[in-house]
């Protein structure tokens, strides 16, 4: 099991930037005497003609590869009857699914044909191809559940491993881990189908088709998702061991090694299907993505177990040790999240102007704004730990004394969930390059 997980971590391919159209022949916007019989589309990376869909007036055109020596270029055959249909302008709508991460991009190429006038009735049909809003929203929701489940599971295990081994026998802590595992397993399976339908520019119902799963699993993004699903199954072994063994298992070196390896595998395979490996230095992006996900997981998972497990019990010895140590861990995690986030943002955006001039950059600004609010609330919690923790311990966990800290932690947890929602939307958005 360990060798298989290590192989996934070391040998798995990284996701690259989204496939974009770089040029066309004839050139986009060219003025032509006659409608072209063939149009060549060149993309930013090699594409499979099966992943490229080109339509004119809602009718699908034939797409073929020019040759093995030109893997980034495809030829689109334009029927002769389009010569008579085009009245001033010929618009080809294209859509392509990235072969690495499965994300879809779309656009159009138009030509001015001097021998015809534009046909008004076809204007809506020739518009840029769009994706199903219901499918996109469902995919974002499934991503959010997957991110949250992973953060709770990885962060929860980390909290037990580093700070609170006794918590492995706490009923609420156990419930959090079990629910996180079930949701993570189901959400990952759902994301595979939804991502396949999204990449194929299909509808929400296509996410349940077996053919959709088969198509996705033939791509790099599908392989990463399948590996993550298998790792969730392996995580059941780690979870079962701590549920049965309790504190004894949580303190054993064998369980700790297994938990660390499985958790790193889950985080790594999730980063492979995000924008983290894009840009001019994909290696740094992969490392930053792993650090970013690990930091946010330890932060969120620790917050939840602190809120539902440690604080309700009010045990002085746990307040004195666990709360203080978690405050330190949270500070390190937040620093890692911010530092890695800066690297990832630069990798994906590529320029400062894209931060304000693209929809992806604007979503990123929203995420940063939410994170800033979270950090302000977190600073209030850290202030309580510095000034009031000793008093709470002396009063043996008196509820009135601890209540302000509970409220602060609850607010911090809720705001972090909003940050995760913004991250889920960012994953389905095209990079701001």
């Amino acid at each position: 099991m360990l060798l298989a997980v290590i192989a996934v971590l070391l040998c798995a391919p990284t996701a690259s930037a989204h496939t974009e159209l770089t040029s066309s022949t004839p050139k986009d916007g060219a003025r032509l005497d006659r409608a072209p019989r063939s149009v060549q589309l060149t993309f930013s990376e090699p594409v499979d003609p099966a992943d490229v869909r080109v339509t004119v007036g809602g009718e699908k055109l034939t797409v073929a590869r020019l040759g093995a020596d030109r893997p980034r270029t495809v030829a689109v055959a334009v029927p002769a009857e389009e010569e008579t249909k085009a009245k001033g302008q010929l618009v080809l709508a294209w859509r392509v699914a990235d072969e690495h991460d499965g994300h879809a991009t779309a656009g159009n190429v138009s030509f001015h044909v001097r021998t015809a006038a534009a046909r008004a009735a076809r204007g809506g049909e020739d518009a840029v191809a769009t994706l199903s809003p219901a499918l996109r929203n469902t995919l974002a929701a499934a991503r959010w559940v997957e991110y949250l489940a992973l953060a709770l599971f990885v962060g929860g295990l980390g909290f037990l491993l580093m700070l609170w081994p006794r918590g492995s026998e706490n009923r609420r802590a156990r419930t959090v881990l079990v629910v996180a595992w079930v949701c993570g397993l189901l959400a990952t399976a759902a994301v595979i189908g939804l991502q396949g339908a999204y990449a194929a520019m299909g509808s929400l119902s296509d996410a349940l088709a077996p053919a959709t799963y088969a198509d996705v699993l033939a791509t790099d993004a599908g392989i990463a998702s399948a590996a993550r699903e298998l790792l969730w199954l392996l995580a059941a072994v780690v979870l079962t061991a701590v549920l049965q063994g309790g504190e004894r298992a949580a303190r054993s070196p064998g369980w700790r090694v297994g938990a660390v390896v499985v958790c790193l595998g889950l985080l790594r395979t999730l980063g492979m299907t995000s924008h983290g490996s894009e840009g001019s230095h994909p290696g740094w992006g992969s490392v930053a993505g792993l650090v970013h996900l690990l930091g946010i997981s330890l932060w969120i998972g620790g917050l939840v177990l602190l809120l539902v497990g440690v604080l309700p019990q009010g045990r002085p010895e746990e307040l004195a040790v666990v709360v203080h140590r978690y405050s330190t861990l949270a500070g390190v995690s937040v620093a890692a999240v911010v530092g890695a986030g800066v690297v990832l943002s630069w990798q994906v955006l590529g320029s400062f102007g894209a931060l304000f001039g693209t929809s992806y950059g604007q979503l990123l600004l929203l995420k940063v704004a939410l994170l800033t609010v979270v950090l302000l609330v977190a600073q209030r919690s850290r202030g309580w730990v510095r000034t009031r923790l000793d008093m709470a311990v002396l009063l043996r966990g008196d509820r009135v004394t601890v209540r302000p800290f509970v409220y602060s932690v609850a607010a911090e947890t809720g705001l972090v969930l909003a940050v995760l929602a913004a991250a889920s939307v960012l994953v389905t958005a095209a990079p701001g390059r």
Side-chain angles (χ1 to χ4, degrees), residues 38-43 47-54 60-68 70-78:
S38 177
V39 176
Q40 296 180 13
L41 302 179
T42 301
F43 295 92
V47 294
D48 187 340
D51 294 333
V52 182
R53 179 184 176 91
V54 182
K60 185 177 180 180
L61 304 182
T62 301
V63 179
R65 189 185 300 278
L66 280 180
R70 302 181 65 184
R72 298 189 298 121
T73 303
V74 296
V76 181
V78 181

Side-chain angles (χ1 to χ4, degrees), residues 38-106:
S38 177
V39 176
Q40 296 180 13
L41 302 179
T42 301
F43 295 92
S44 57
E45 60 183 53
V47 294
D48 187 340
D51 294 333
V52 182
R53 179 184 176 91
V54 182
T55 60
V56 57
E59 299 178 5
K60 185 177 180 180
L61 304 182
T62 301
V63 179
R65 189 185 300 278
L66 280 180
D69 58 330
R70 302 181 65 184
R72 298 189 298 121
T73 303
V74 296
V76 181
V78 181
E81 54 267 24
E82 292 301 326
E83 174 72 28
T84 58
K85 292 180 181 179
K87 296 184 177 180
Q89 190 175 43
L90 177 66
V91 181
L92 304 183
W94 60 268
R95 296 179 294 186
V96 60
D98 191 283
E99 66 176 353
H100 296 289
D101 59 19
H103 294 167
T105 51

Side-chain angles (χ1 to χ4, degrees), residues 223-282:
I223 294 173
S225 297
R228 188 162 62 257
E229 187 75 358
L230 292 175
L231 284 167
W232 275 116
L233 294 176
L234 290 176
V237 178
V238 174
L239 180 59
T240 302
V242 77
L243 292 179
Q244 293 179 345
E247 184 177 357
R248 177 180 56 81
R251 293 183 181 277
S252 66
W255 181 85
R256 293 188 171 199
V257 171
V260 169
V261 172
V262 168
C263 289
L264 288 179
L266 288 170
L267 296 174
R268 178 67 184 100
T269 53
L270 182 63
M272 289 163 57
T273 55
S274 68
H275 298 311
S277 302
E278 300 175 359
S280 56
H281 301 285

Side-chain angles (χ1 to χ4, degrees), residues 329-350:
L329 176 63
V332 175
S333 298
V334 169
V337 168
V338 173
V342 172
V343 175
L344 291 173
S345 299
W346 184 255
Q347 284 284 107
V348 176
L349 291 174

Side-chain angles (χ1 to χ4, degrees), residues 281-301:
H281 301 285
W284 284 109
S286 298
V287 173
L290 182 60
V291 172
H292 191 74
L293 290 172
L294 180 60
I296 199 71
S297 296
L298 292 176
W299 185 15
I300 296 177

Side-chain angles (χ1 to χ4, degrees), residues 313-357:
Q313 296 184 112
R315 294 177 177 174
E317 65 276 11
E318 290 182 349
L319 289 176
V321 177
V322 177
V323 174
H324 177 73
R325 289 180 178 178
Y326 174 72
S327 180
T328 302
L329 176 63
V332 175
S333 298
V334 169
V337 168
V338 173
V342 172
V343 175
L344 291 173
S345 299
W346 184 255
Q347 284 284 107
V348 176
L349 291 174
S351 66
F352 184 77
L355 188 62
F356 300 94

